[in-house]
Amino acid sequence: MKFFAIGSITKPLSDEQRQQIMPKEVPATLKLYLDGRIEQFWYRQDKPGVIFLVEAGSAEQAQTAVEALPLVTEGFAQYEVFPVGPLAPLGMLIQPR
């Protein structure tokens, strides 16, 4: 199943905190990507945060994966996870009437 994981920064990081956490956050995120858990990722343009397209067996598995990232475990970020899929109503356009 596919899920969007919408990440938001919940409290700003100081420069010192950023220097301590990001060397852990980046490899942890890349590991999820290389393991096939994160399929695509984007940086949010509306506010600090990221959006991941996650492959997981359930919403709980997707939530667990992103909640293990250092920015979350250190209390600086949170994720909203929800399922996504094909735009099924488009099928009405190709079915005979």
Side-chain angles (χ1 to χ4, degrees):
M1 296 177 63
K2 306 251 188 256
F3 299 88
F4 274 138
I6 311 294
S8 300
I9 299 299
T10 56
K11 68 179 180 181
L13 286 87
S14 69
D15 288 339
E16 183 179 320
Q17 290 168 323
R18 186 175 289 106
Q19 289 175 350
Q20 291 174 351
I21 293 174
M22 293 313 286
K24 296 182 267 183
E25 180 76 11
V26 172
T29 302
L30 288 175
K31 181 169 180 359
L32 289 175
Y33 173 76
L34 293 172
D35 289 347
R37 183 69 64 174
I38 294 175
E39 293 186 356
Q40 296 182 35
F41 44 87
W42 302 271
Y43 184 75
R44 293 182 66 162
Q45 298 295 307
D46 61 334
K47 61 183 182 176
V50 295
I51 300 172
F52 297 142
L53 177 60
V54 177
E55 173 66 35
S58 67
E60 293 78 20
Q61 289 176 353
Q63 191 79 45
T64 298
V66 295
E67 285 182 351
L69 292 169
L71 281 172
V72 176
T73 61
E74 296 291 328
F76 293 100
Q78 66 182 18
Y79 284 87
E80 177 185 1
V81 174
F82 53 91
V84 294
L87 191 55
L90 287 176
M92 293 185 304
L93 297 174
I94 59 174
Q95 292 180 2
R97 294 180 187 222

